[in-house]
Amino acid sequence: MKTQPLGVSDVRVSRVAYGCMPLGGGWDRSPVTPAIQKSAITTVRAALDEGINFFDHADIYCKGKSEEVFAAMWNEVPSLRGKIILQSKTGIRFGGEPDARDVTRYDFSAEHILRTVEGSLKRLKTDYLDVLLLHRPDVLVEPEEVARAFDDLHQAGKVRWFGVSNETAPQLELLRHYLHQPIVTNQVQFNVMHTHMLDEGVNFNQYVNRMARNAGTIEYCRLNNITLQSWGSLVNGRVTGRRVENPTKAHTDTTALVAEIAKTKGVDPEAILVAWILRHPAKIQAVIGTTRPERIKAACQGDGVDLSREEWYRLYAAGRGEGLP
Ligand SMILES: NC(=O)c1ccc[n+]([C@@H]2O[C@H](COP(=O)([O-])OP(=O)(O)OC[C@H]3O[C@@H](n4cnc5c(N)ncnc54)[C@H](OP(=O)(O)O)[C@@H]3O)[C@@H](O)[C@H]2O)c1
């Protein structure tokens, strides 16, 4: 597995990262069973075997249980902590907690950031996070407060590097204006069927029905050496065998094309999905979230697949469901 720098940080990360969201078994407060723990260990071992050195968490994944089960790896693989890059996130609060009337909301207050990082460190049984991300933009963000929380965490040796997730270029610009710590990554939804960050540039100056405004986020991150991380990298299996209710033409065409290109390259379809992300010159790090060792192996083959410009654009057009202007 090839590695690359993560933004301006001093860490080198595997081009494919493992997303630990499903490891805890379920999004509830039921205790971790031995079966869930065993399955998590098998999955993480499979990722390590493929050369993955980067593990993505969030305080909320499976209500904390994903971080909790991951901590078993310190006993499974002695000296692992110093060899991997551990990322977690903060900032999303569940509806119904602590008050039944509370709705799902975002919270970048210093109090919330500091308290949740303590929780992550405790569950992960580690003294520090390599990277901490703000999970989803808080509409009520006070950037000076975020700066203070980040400085406190950095000075205490609890977090080495900082990043964001699902943020537009202007949101990043606002935050970076106040922060003393660099932003090294922005984790966003991106895959062959979720191409809005690219479509925006392609559809410039045209009337289109299907247009999400991303404010030049991909260009902003490239210009400022902020590594993009893609979530949903495997399209949740929807073009590699998972049953899709009422598939669109884009689904059907992409599924067929991914299978065809995989066959010509002698790899599994998941490898083509990952290779499509890695082929973009922004050097996007692909975060995969399958729990199955065989799919982790299949996806990691993508690191060794070179897609031609023509193959890449055919996949892009298929995933968009329409040709380019
Ligand atoms: N920052 C954010 O807002 C955000 C949001 C979502 C996720 N993430 C991160 O990104 C990681 C990956 O995201 P993701 O899980 O959405 O992406 P993904 O890697 O595209 O999807 C993984 C999911 O798809 C299923 N899957 C894959 N291939 C399949 C197939 N052929 N048939 C049936 N099911 C299949 C997997 O099930 P199996 O386990 O059975 O293979 C798993 O549930 C997460 O773990 C998390 O760390 C971040």
Side-chain angles (χ1 to χ4, degrees):
M1 172 77 63
K2 294 192 260 319
T3 60
Q4 62 182 34
L6 185 73
V8 297
S9 79
D10 62 355
V11 293
R12 287 195 72 83
V13 299
S14 50
R15 296 210 295 167
V16 179
Y18 185 72
C20 298
M21 185 166 71
L23 291 186
W27 291 66
D28 54 44
R29 304 272 180 212
S30 62
V32 171
T33 62
I36 290 171
Q37 181 64 76
K38 191 168 167 230
S39 160
I41 290 169
T42 304
T43 299
V44 176
R45 275 192 179 278
L48 291 169
D49 287 348
E50 295 308 315
I52 289 178
N53 76 349
F54 191 99
F55 293 87
D56 175 63
H57 286 271
D59 58 333
I60 60 167
Y61 289 165
C62 294
K63 300 220 165 178
K65 288 186 286 181
S66 297
E67 290 180 330
E68 195 184 323
V69 295
F70 190 90
M73 292 311 298
W74 310 140
N75 288 334
E76 287 290 316
V77 185
S79 80
L80 183 66
R81 180 66 193 92
K83 294 185 183 144
I84 61 167
I85 313 303
L86 209 49
Q87 172 171 283
S88 195
K89 313 187 192 78
T90 178
I92 296 183
R93 303 192 69 153
F94 290 118
E97 295 180 11
D99 190 294
R101 291 166 302 174
D102 287 333
V103 295
T104 297
R105 60 214 184 275
Y106 310 128
D107 189 345
F108 288 0
S109 65
E111 188 276 326
H112 183 75
I113 293 171
L114 295 173
R115 181 169 47 77
T116 50
V117 168
E118 288 304 328
S120 289
L121 294 176
K122 201 168 160 198
R123 287 187 294 275
L124 284 163
K125 295 195 171 75
T126 185
D127 297 335
Y128 68 98
L129 295 174
D130 294 284
V131 191
L132 174 71
L133 306 190
L134 299 174
H135 206 154
R136 275 197 180 274
D138 177 7
V139 185
L140 300 179
V141 62
E142 306 272 5
E144 301 92 329
E145 208 175 319
V146 176
R148 183 158 52 79
F150 280 10
D151 287 347
D152 284 359
L153 290 167
H154 192 255
Q155 275 153 26
K158 292 178 180 175
V159 178
R160 297 188 61 217
W161 301 98
F162 297 88
V164 297
S165 179
N166 305 305
E167 294 225 351
T168 63
Q171 288 166 332
L172 269 163
E173 186 74 14
L174 174 73
L175 203 55
R176 290 176 73 231
H177 180 77
Y178 290 91
L179 295 183
H180 310 119
Q181 312 291 329
I183 290 291
V184 299
T185 184
N186 183 14
Q187 188 178 100
V188 295
Q189 186 173 10
F190 183 72
N191 61 51
V192 73
M193 296 220 45
H194 192 99
T195 58
H196 308 297
M197 285 199 313
L198 308 175
D199 298 339
E200 182 187 51
V202 167
N203 290 332
F204 169 73
N205 208 17
Q206 312 218 11
Y207 287 117
V208 282
N209 294 328
R210 185 177 155 274
M211 178 78 169
R213 288 189 174 74
N214 297 284
T217 299
I218 205 162
E219 290 80 6
Y220 181 89
C221 289
R222 288 179 79 175
L223 278 169
N224 289 285
N225 197 2
I226 295 169
T227 299
L228 286 155
Q229 296 176 340
S230 60
W231 63 265
S233 305
L234 302 180
V235 201
N236 290 119
R238 285 194 214 100
V239 292
T240 53
R242 185 181 205 156
R243 216 178 84 76
V244 179
E245 293 280 333
N246 307 316
T248 58
K249 184 172 177 314
H251 272 111
T252 320
D253 289 355
T254 308
T255 303
L257 186 56
V258 165
E260 181 197 318
I261 296 177
K263 199 168 168 204
T264 61
K265 307 244 178 226
V267 294
D268 295 304
E270 287 83 358
I272 302 304
L273 299 180
V274 167
W276 189 85
I277 293 165
L278 300 184
R279 173 68 176 80
H280 193 280
K283 294 190 169 38
I284 298 166
Q285 192 186 18
V287 186
I288 58 165
T290 172
T291 53
R292 304 224 184 166
E294 69 278 13
R295 286 192 191 131
I296 293 174
K297 193 176 173 65
C300 288
Q301 291 171 345
D303 180 46
V305 171
D306 288 324
L307 291 178
S308 68
R309 179 175 290 268
E310 284 63 37
E311 289 165 333
W312 191 90
Y313 267 103
R314 278 174 72 201
L315 286 160
Y316 178 32
R320 275 166 55 88
E322 59 187 351
L324 297 173

